[in-house]
Amino acid sequence: MPRTISTENIIIDGIDVTLSWKSGVRAMRIRITSPDAKVMATVPLRTSRSQVMQFLTSRSQWMHRAIEKVKSTPRPLPATYSDGDTIWLFGQSYRLHLQHASCKKKVIYISGDEIILTLPPTTTVEQRRHLLHAFFKQRLAIALDVYMRDYTAKMQCLPIPYRIMSRRSVWGTFHPATRSIIFNLQLIHVAPAYIQYVVLHEMTHQYVAAHNQAFYNRMSALMPDWRQRRRALQQFARTHPII
């Protein structure tokens, strides 16, 4: 797996770029983070500084355009877990409907295009968030089980254990030392086709650690349209609120 050796910040055409010198990567790459529009560049460990400066300078106009695009993208507000909130579940929008009950028991279920949450009127925002996250985690695990069994059979590999956690920046992480995967709870938002893409992506890392041509070839063999799914997933993440 790629490993960060050192980091530094430089200014290119007025742009603050964070350089990460890494072992285990073969090419220089640039990404713009959302929603803060920070510029992050990954550099192979033995790349000369003149090569780095030449590469970044040649990409300065693209970086300016990408930064403006991120900054101009409307930032959705996070869910407040209040009555009437829009909650996304597997790519479909639902209206959150709070029903107050005198008993202490909390119940959550889906009815039509609503997610019904029955709970005492004194319940706090944090308690509602915890209840919804538990519900989402249970639903997401059902989908993950289906896709992981499917690709375990297609790859003819041993089952891979996984956990679901709230993450800020990645959809999934494969850990080679434990041969396990952590999936982002935020996947509950997105359409099943995008969840399927993330599952295949992380399971492919058991064979190829880096994002190189061998990795992409394995992805394409089982999911020819994975690039389109990845782009759609990135677009969804930019325009929809987190849970």
Side-chain angles (χ1 to χ4, degrees), residues 85-98:
D85 273 2
T86 297
I87 301 292
W88 286 85
L89 183 67
F90 296 126
Q92 300 294 321
S93 63
Y94 294 83
R95 177 181 176 272
L96 181 63
H97 179 50
L98 303 183

Side-chain angles (χ1 to χ4, degrees), residues 126-140:
E126 180 59 25
Q127 288 173 326
R128 295 197 296 270
R129 184 196 69 83
H130 180 77
L131 184 62
L132 282 165
H133 278 211
F135 174 75
F136 291 148
K137 188 174 182 179
Q138 181 185 52
R139 290 293 181 113
L140 179 59

Side-chain angles (χ1 to χ4, degrees), residues 109-202:
Y109 61 95
I110 295 175
S111 177
D113 61 355
E114 289 188 329
I115 296 177
I116 312 296
L117 189 55
T118 302
L119 68 180
T122 56
T123 305
T124 65
V125 171
E126 180 59 25
Q127 288 173 326
R128 295 197 296 270
R129 184 196 69 83
H130 180 77
L131 184 62
L132 282 165
H133 278 211
F135 174 75
F136 291 148
K137 188 174 182 179
Q138 181 185 52
R139 290 293 181 113
L140 179 59
I142 294 172
L144 290 172
D145 284 346
V146 170
Y147 294 135
M148 292 196 71
R149 282 197 300 268
D150 180 39
Y151 284 117
T152 295
K154 290 177 178 177
M155 293 179 172
Q156 297 183 338
C157 64
L158 294 173
I160 300 177
Y162 72 86
R163 290 184 293 160
I164 299 172
M165 300 177 63
S166 293
R167 311 291 293 276
R168 291 184 60 85
S169 59
V170 292
W171 294 111
T173 305
F174 177 78
H175 294 278
T178 58
R179 195 176 173 271
S180 63
I181 299 173
I182 294 178
F183 288 111
N184 193 338
L185 179 61
Q186 309 301 327
L187 283 170
I188 191 65
H189 274 321
V190 309
Y194 310 154
I195 300 174
Q196 189 179 19
Y197 155 74
V198 174
V199 168
L200 177 60
H201 182 110
E202 299 309 326

Side-chain angles (χ1 to χ4, degrees), residues 3 7 17 24 33 39-40 57 59 67 71 79 86-87 94 98 112 115 126 151 182 192 196 215 223 231:
R3 184 164 63 94
T7 61
V17 181
T33 63
V39 182
M40 315 294 289
T57 301
R59 300 288 284 166
I67 290 169
K71 288 183 175 180
T86 297
I87 301 292
Y94 294 83
L98 303 183
I115 296 177
E126 180 59 25
Y151 284 117
I182 294 178
Q196 189 179 19
F215 179 89
M223 186 181 290
R231 284 195 294 269

